Amino acid sequence: SQMPNRRPIISLLNFFSIPFFFFFTVIFPNVGLVASKSTIEPCSNSDSCNAFLGYTLYTDLKVSEVAALFQIDPISLLTANAVDISFPDVENHILPSQLFLKIPIACSCADGIRKSVATRYKTRPADTLAAIADSIYGGLVSADQIKEANSIPDPSVLDVGMNLVVPLPCTCFNGTDNFLPATYMSYVVQPVDTFAGIAARYSTTTTDLLTVNALESTDIEAGDILAVPLSGNLTLLLILYFFYKNSNILFGNV
């Protein structure tokens, strides 16, 4: 089960823009019998933006293990979640199961839609596509999507050590929300969630969330993936991190 009490931690100012955006909601078959909705942003160029994934740990993991799961820098993971990076050996700090994190990713354009295609997963004994999708990656991807991305003919047969592409949902939407800077987080709806509750948790309105996701009603189901705009109250920390990553001037060698 997943913990319902999740709070936004920090948002990232997005400097990428394009003249206009268009979005719609499509249906993807998940591993179960219920189809889930996911908001998709079409694209036609090679630009990218910074985005977030809302992710709940499926087990206790070190910071470095979570970072490796998404092929991101451990310091960027900590900074995105407002964790003090000055603690010794912070990359080996153990994060508890069911902890909710914001995963910073690069959202690119692939196959005509926005998604992250940088994540790779090496299969382990007893892995199944369903377990990889639903448990390890927290429902951010479906087994069918992994199967299609890797042209797997028989998903019941996974060799140990396979290096799988894991396509993950993301949106850019010009890096704005109501003409203000915003970064978007892909959020997997949990059984305890309500549409109004999600909006309130992330300091937006139901009207804005409906508009962003091109929805006509607030009816949502567990497993749906919403694009949630995170606006700029706490963007400075991540902006400083990018200076740190490129020059080490602001923070020194940590």
Side-chain angles (χ1 to χ4, degrees):
S1 62
Q2 311 248 350
M3 292 182 67
N5 295 323
R6 290 175 283 205
R7 297 174 297 169
I9 303 168
I10 191 168
S11 60
L12 172 63
L13 182 62
N14 187 306
F15 295 104
F16 295 95
S17 64
I18 52 178
F20 67 94
F21 62 86
F22 172 67
F23 51 88
F24 57 93
T25 302
V26 297
I27 303 297
F28 283 118
N30 263 356
V31 175
L33 297 177
V34 179
S36 63
K37 299 186 291 292
S38 180
T39 297
I40 301 299
E41 179 187 2
C43 55
S44 59
N45 51 37
S46 60
D47 69 343
S48 63
C49 74
N50 299 303
F52 289 107
L53 303 170
Y55 177 66
T56 302
L57 270 64
Y58 69 101
T59 188
D60 293 354
L61 292 172
K62 293 180 181 179
V63 170
S64 58
E65 289 179 305
V66 178
L69 197 60
F70 293 94
Q71 276 84 65
I72 61 172
D73 177 36
I75 300 300
S76 70
L77 173 64
L78 293 169
T79 307
N81 291 279
V83 176
D84 188 347
I85 60 175
S86 67
F87 288 114
D89 203 29
V90 68
E91 292 94 337
N92 287 316
H93 180 73
I94 297 176
L95 303 174
S97 178
Q98 302 304 308
L99 178 68
F100 182 77
L101 296 171
K102 293 199 304 189
I103 308 294
I105 59 167
C107 184
S108 57
C109 183
D111 303 320
I113 63 173
R114 293 288 182 191
K115 59 184 171 181
S116 172
V117 291
T119 297
R120 302 291 186 274
Y121 176 80
K122 183 174 287 188
T123 55
R124 302 173 295 193
D127 270 342
T128 65
L129 290 187
I132 295 169
D134 295 341
S135 178
I136 294 174
Y137 286 96
L140 286 162
V141 64
S142 72
D144 284 344
Q145 288 168 328
I146 298 176
K147 175 185 175 182
E148 180 179 350
N150 295 276
S151 301
I152 299 174
D154 185 358
S156 66
V157 180
L158 290 181
D159 295 329
V160 174
M162 291 178 67
N163 198 30
L164 300 179
V165 175
V166 183
L168 296 167
C170 60
T171 50
C172 295
F173 295 156
N174 278 348
T176 61
D177 178 45
N178 294 318
F179 304 103
L180 296 175
T183 303
Y184 287 84
M185 178 177 70
S186 297
Y187 177 84
V188 181
V189 175
Q190 303 301 312
V192 295
D193 281 332
T194 65
F195 197 85
I198 295 171
R201 189 182 312 146
Y202 295 104
S203 302
T204 188
T205 64
T206 56
T207 300
D208 189 32
L209 207 54
L210 285 169
T211 301
V212 165
N213 291 277
L215 294 174
E216 295 180 356
S217 78
T218 59
D219 294 336
I220 51 174
E221 301 287 343
D224 290 349
I225 300 176
L226 298 176
V228 178
L230 305 176
S231 57
N233 292 334
L234 295 173
T235 59
L236 180 59
L237 193 56
L238 276 185
I239 295 171
L240 291 176
Y241 165 71
F242 285 112
F243 281 102
Y244 155 80
K245 184 176 181 182
N246 291 322
S247 66
N248 270 350
I249 292 175
L250 293 177
F251 294 97
N253 294 313
V254 295

